[in-house]
Amino acid sequence: MVQESIRILHTQGYKATEPRKLVLEVLEEIEKPLSPYDIQEVLRAKGKYLNHVTIYRILDLLCSLNLAHKMLSGGGFVKCSLDPVEGCHRFMVCQDCGAIQEFADEGLCQRENEFARNHGFHTEHHLSEFSGLCSRCHK
Amino acid sequence: MVQESIRILHTQGYKATEPRKLVLEVLEEIEKPLSPYDIQEVLRAKGKYLNHVTIYRILDLLCSLNLAHKMLSGGGFVKCSLDPVEGCHRFMVCQDCGAIQEFADEGLCQRENEFARNHGFHTEHHLSEFSGLCSRCHK
DNA sequence: AAGCTAAGTGCAATATTATTGCATTTATCT
DNA sequence: AGATAAATGCAATAATATTGCACTTAGCTT
């Protein structure tokens, strides 16, 4: 929910400006990875305008608050749909329709931490991305 | 080993050209994510020159053969050190020294496939990246 | 409700990264 | 060694990203 992101912006001392709301709305609506210029394009089609510099800065901020995420492959941005978690981002991406779905799995985190520890590595952040076919496209 | 990558190039019908060897050597030597221009810089320091277009094309090819991988975060390229596996790339990256280490974990794949299946998603590729501290930097 | 002020945005300029078509070179096969 | 398809370099251009500064606005304060 955009409303929830706005709340978090406020509690962190950031303003809930019109441009920020617009970017959040676009990401929430499209649910696919979008580049800064993609976002600008979507807005233009709605008769709105944001300078690309502004979009870059907003995405930086959202990512720093874990409200958005820059996708592993492709590099587009998506809105995080789960409670923001520092340093753990997991997504499934449909290679057909491009739809993304965020997920979390505590067991997976534990298993990964353990695996890393066994190799002398001290894990702080987990990123993972599965690509494949979503239920709609797989049949 | 660069030699092994060259063998794979041959078996796939690609030439083992000087530029390709150079890029493979740089990636193997540095063991950190490098952008195309980073690679050009490293080569320049060794008195070699490759056009950036060439480097882009070589990296595209290497990635398509799973001999290299474009990192999830940061976007740099690394040489894959394990047997090339279609669609499964896992790395640990030290956030201190930048060193990367590829790994594989069959159990993790299974667990991830199962998790996805339970959510109606049919997984084909897995990417994951842990960032944290390697054994040298963690103490 | 109007005014204040720090935070945020837009703009212009510039830097960095990536792509394309074509002429030239080179690895591999005969 | 020579033929030839594949690969590279070059020049031009496109796309993406960053910076400093002037102007605007959200959310206080009264």
Side-chain angles (χ1 to χ4, degrees), chain B residues 95-110:
Chain B
Q95 51 199 191
D96 202 38
C97 70
I100 58 106
Q101 190 184 334
E102 192 179 7
F103 69 97
D105 182 353
E106 184 53 42
L108 199 55
C109 284
Q110 285 176 14

Side-chain angles (χ1 to χ4, degrees), chain A residues 2 5 8 16 24 28 35 43 53 58 67 85 90 92-95 104 114 117 120 125 131 133-134:
Chain A
V2 168
S5 302
I8 291 173
L24 282 166
E28 173 144 311
S35 75
L43 286 169
V53 177
I58 289 173
L67 298 175
V85 177
R90 303 186 188 278
M92 300 186 275
V93 199
C94 180
Q95 51 199 191
E114 190 182 319
R117 202 172 334 113
H125 303 277
S131 70
L133 295 173
C134 71

Side-chain angles (χ1 to χ4, degrees), chain B residues 77-94:
Chain B
F77 291 84
V78 296
K79 180 170 179 302
C80 295
S81 52
L82 305 180
D83 282 349
V85 176
E86 166 88 36
C88 182
H89 294 283
R90 302 186 188 279
F91 294 87
M92 299 186 274
V93 199
C94 179

Side-chain angles (χ1 to χ4, degrees), chain A residues 109-126, chain B residues 91-92 101 103 105 108 130-135:
Chain A
C109 284
Q110 285 176 13
R111 198 178 201 300
E112 290 177 352
N113 283 336
E114 190 182 319
F115 181 92
R117 202 172 334 113
N118 292 339
H119 289 71
F121 195 87
H122 182 256
T123 306
E124 295 199 0
H125 303 277
H126 303 241
Chain B
F91 294 87
M92 299 186 274
Q101 190 184 334
F103 69 97
D105 182 353
L108 199 55
F130 306 161
S131 70
L133 295 173
C134 71
S135 48

Side-chain angles (χ1 to χ4, degrees), chain B residues 5-69:
Chain B
S5 301
I6 289 174
R7 198 187 59 72
I8 291 174
L9 282 174
H10 277 148
T11 65
Q12 300 292 101
Y14 296 99
K15 293 180 183 175
T17 63
E18 199 53 31
R20 286 175 182 166
K21 289 180 201 166
L22 288 173
V23 169
L24 283 166
E25 281 163 17
V26 168
L27 291 179
E28 173 145 311
E29 179 190 339
I30 306 289
E31 283 189 292
K32 294 175 189 175
L34 298 175
S35 76
Y37 288 93
D38 290 339
I39 293 171
Q40 191 176 48
E41 208 40 57
V42 172
L43 286 169
R44 215 188 293 274
K46 296 183 172 193
K48 314 270 185 180
Y49 172 77
L50 290 184
N51 188 278
H52 70 276
V53 178
T54 302
I55 300 176
Y56 275 95
R57 293 196 271 228
I58 289 173
L59 290 169
D60 278 352
L61 175 65
L62 295 179
C63 286
S64 77
L65 297 175
N66 294 305
L67 297 176
H69 174 73

